[in-house]
Amino acid sequence: EVQLAESGGGSVQAGGSRRLSCAGSGFRFEDYIIAWVRQAPGKDREVVSMIAGKRPVVTRYAESVKGRFTISADYAKNMVYLHIDSAKPEDTAVYYCAVTVRLASTWDQSDSYNHWGQGIQVTVSS
């Protein structure tokens, strides 16, 4: 059974940094396409980043986070990370780790991913 568990959420000051972690069990991240998806109150889910592959590793970022967020994976530990830099109040959201074996749509569509973690809150204060 595919299971995902996010950690590392909490409060961060605007301009600060935070690292989110996603632990996978029951499968290998290297065989999947992995995304970080966020949902702010009253807003639709937004896929902020995606990582896939091993050689080469492919990454993608939403325009809203490009240059500030970095996604990475440690396949040996079966972990995926999202490093948030230069945090902004609009980054406040519940962040989810999600995976799929094959994209049903494009990488930036949340319905492309069929296994999800419980989500973790990140709050950026100004």
Side-chain angles (χ1 to χ4, degrees):
E1 181 187 3
V2 173
Q3 291 188 324
L4 299 160
E6 302 94 342
S7 61
S11 297
V12 58
Q13 294 278 349
S17 299
R18 194 89 185 179
R19 189 180 80 162
L20 307 184
S21 300
C22 177
S25 60
F27 72 108
R28 298 189 309 173
F29 271 129
E30 63 187 85
D31 297 330
Y32 281 68
I33 300 164
I34 310 115
W36 284 96
V37 184
R38 69 185 180 186
Q39 187 165 25
K43 294 190 176 181
D44 293 335
R45 286 180 172 178
E46 178 189 18
V47 182
V48 297
S49 189
M50 178 276 285
I51 188 168
K54 210 170 182 180
R55 296 188 192 94
V57 174
V58 176
T59 58
R60 296 287 185 269
Y61 297 94
E63 285 299 321
S64 59
V65 306
K66 200 171 286 185
R68 301 189 299 116
F69 287 21
T70 303
I71 192 170
S72 62
D74 185 335
Y75 292 135
K77 295 181 179 179
N78 219 38
M79 297 287 295
V80 172
Y81 306 97
L82 184 70
H83 195 92
I84 300 171
D85 282 321
S86 303
K88 300 179 179 180
E90 51 264 44
D91 294 326
T92 295
V94 175
Y95 284 74
Y96 299 89
C97 179
V99 300
T100 185
V101 171
R102 187 174 293 109
L103 291 173
S105 182
T106 54
W107 72 268
D108 57 350
Q109 297 298 310
S110 60
D111 59 7
S112 291
Y113 304 91
N114 52 13
H115 298 283
W116 293 72
Q118 293 284 78
I120 194 164
Q121 178 71 42
V122 174
T123 301
V124 182
S125 56
S126 56

